[in-house]
Amino acid sequence: MKSISKTIACPHLAPPSGPPEPTSEVIKVAPGPCLDLAELRRTLSAGPPPELWRHVGACLRCARAVATLDRSVVRRALTACGGPMRVADPADYEGKAPLGGGRTYRLFRAFDRRRGAEVVLKELPARAELADPDQRPLLEACLLREASLLAGLRHPAIVTLLEAGEWRRTGEAFYATAPAPGVALRDAAPRSRGRDGRLALLRAFAAVADAVAYAHARGVAHRDINPGAIVYDEASGRASIVDWSAARPFTRRSPGDAVCDAAELPRGGPNVAALGTPGFAAPERASPRRDHRADIFSLGATLHFVATGRAADAGPEGPSASAGARDDRRGEAAACPEPLRAIVAKATADDPESRHRSADELASELRRCLRR
């Protein structure tokens, strides 16, 4: 076993299929072992040292190898969180109908015969539909990590995990949640009319901030709060955070987290949502020093959207997008009453130290504002 403490191209593992990678690209890895496939298999069986997980978290190829060789890495994390893990029969779910999804996951509405109720299923697309089928083990690890985090979060404004596991016969990962009634906040806010409608949205948003504070207290950062990740039900006046695909624990990390960390590497990892949504992501979104305070910024940007019905200009993807978006957001904030403008300005401060100390504090300020 060889200790690595410099930038390497990870020569011991075979490169992924497809076009050759540019020779100028390298992978920055933390100190730790870099093993060939046979050694890696033996190490995983014997109980790998912490150094391996530090290496895996910064090496896309090694992470993909671990996710392929040991599918139980993230499954163990799910069980440890108290989440239900089972081998499910697809026949348990009737009337499966597409609900959409992103570039890497698919959502379906279905009727659960055992529960006698509708559920929402999240799973991977068919292997042939992926731009890089070899990324599938990493995508599966990220999907089950999301389920493991949801298993530990029980809050009225957070979508409820019902079960997670794999499909019988195919062995592909999935999880099921209770459906959240309503429409995405990105659609509800622009349609809101009149003072009463806007106040109802703002009260619902205060509950969303409560949910983020609850997650933070349990060591989970959302990392992509935006109007598309939140569903608002006008009939009940409630809102729920339904998309947790970019969430990450910032305390008590497990080996499975190292595999998912590598899936976020800028060299082509699949979980690009972890960088946040342009126009709503904190300026430090691409920094390794980013922590749960980036959620405060995103809450402030989303509050601005709720108050004005307009999003800041998203601009091109990339770190440079945030600067223009911040200028637009602060210019449009003139449409907000002064107390709301002050909350948005504080939450979206460039310096994390200048923002609200917690999502609880932001929610409390918002409620005081609404009582005036």
Side-chain angles (χ1 to χ4, degrees), residues 8 14 76 96 98 128 137 160 202 228 276 313 315 323 330 334 346 363:
I8 63 170
R76 286 196 296 270
K96 192 173 170 184
T160 301
L202 290 170
D313 179 19
R330 287 164 184 164
K346 183 175 181 180

Side-chain angles (χ1 to χ4, degrees), residues 319-337:
S320 62
S322 292
R326 291 197 301 278
D327 292 340
D328 288 344
R329 178 171 48 254
R330 287 164 184 164
E332 292 170 12
C336 299

Side-chain angles (χ1 to χ4, degrees), residues 109 180-192 201 226-236 238-242 305:
R109 186 178 296 277
V183 297
L185 194 60
R186 64 169 174 248
D187 300 320
R191 293 205 305 251
S192 180
L201 274 175
N226 69 84
I230 301 166
V231 165
Y232 173 69
D233 180 28
E234 187 175 4
S236 65
R238 294 181 178 179
S240 301
I241 308 174
V242 296
F305 178 83

Side-chain angles (χ1 to χ4, degrees), residues 256-279:
D257 293 314
V259 174
C260 296
D261 287 349
E264 298 169 7
L265 292 175
R267 289 182 59 258
N271 195 10
V272 294
L275 288 177
T277 299

Side-chain angles (χ1 to χ4, degrees), residues 122-206:
K122 186 170 185 177
E123 59 186 45
L124 299 181
R127 184 178 177 86
E129 296 176 26
L130 293 174
D132 182 359
D134 289 337
Q135 297 283 29
R136 194 177 186 91
L138 288 182
L139 292 172
E140 180 184 66
C142 291
L143 180 68
L144 288 178
R145 202 247 307 254
E146 182 182 352
S148 74
L149 296 178
L150 280 175
L153 301 177
R154 298 288 174 176
H155 188 278
I158 296 176
V159 66
T160 301
L161 179 78
L162 298 175
E163 68 175 2
E166 59 186 35
W167 296 121
R168 183 169 293 137
R169 292 188 297 277
T170 66
E172 295 179 351
F174 81 99
Y175 74 76
T177 63
V183 297
L185 194 60
R186 64 169 174 248
D187 300 320
R191 293 205 305 251
S192 180
R193 294 290 182 269
R195 181 177 181 275
D196 290 344
R198 191 66 65 194
L199 284 175
L201 274 175
L202 290 170
R203 291 190 187 100
F205 184 79

Side-chain angles (χ1 to χ4, degrees), residues 265-292:
L265 292 175
R267 289 182 59 258
N271 195 10
V272 294
L275 288 177
T277 299
F280 297 92
E284 70 272 18
R285 65 180 185 165
S287 168
R289 294 186 298 276
R290 178 181 62 164
D291 57 24
H292 64 285

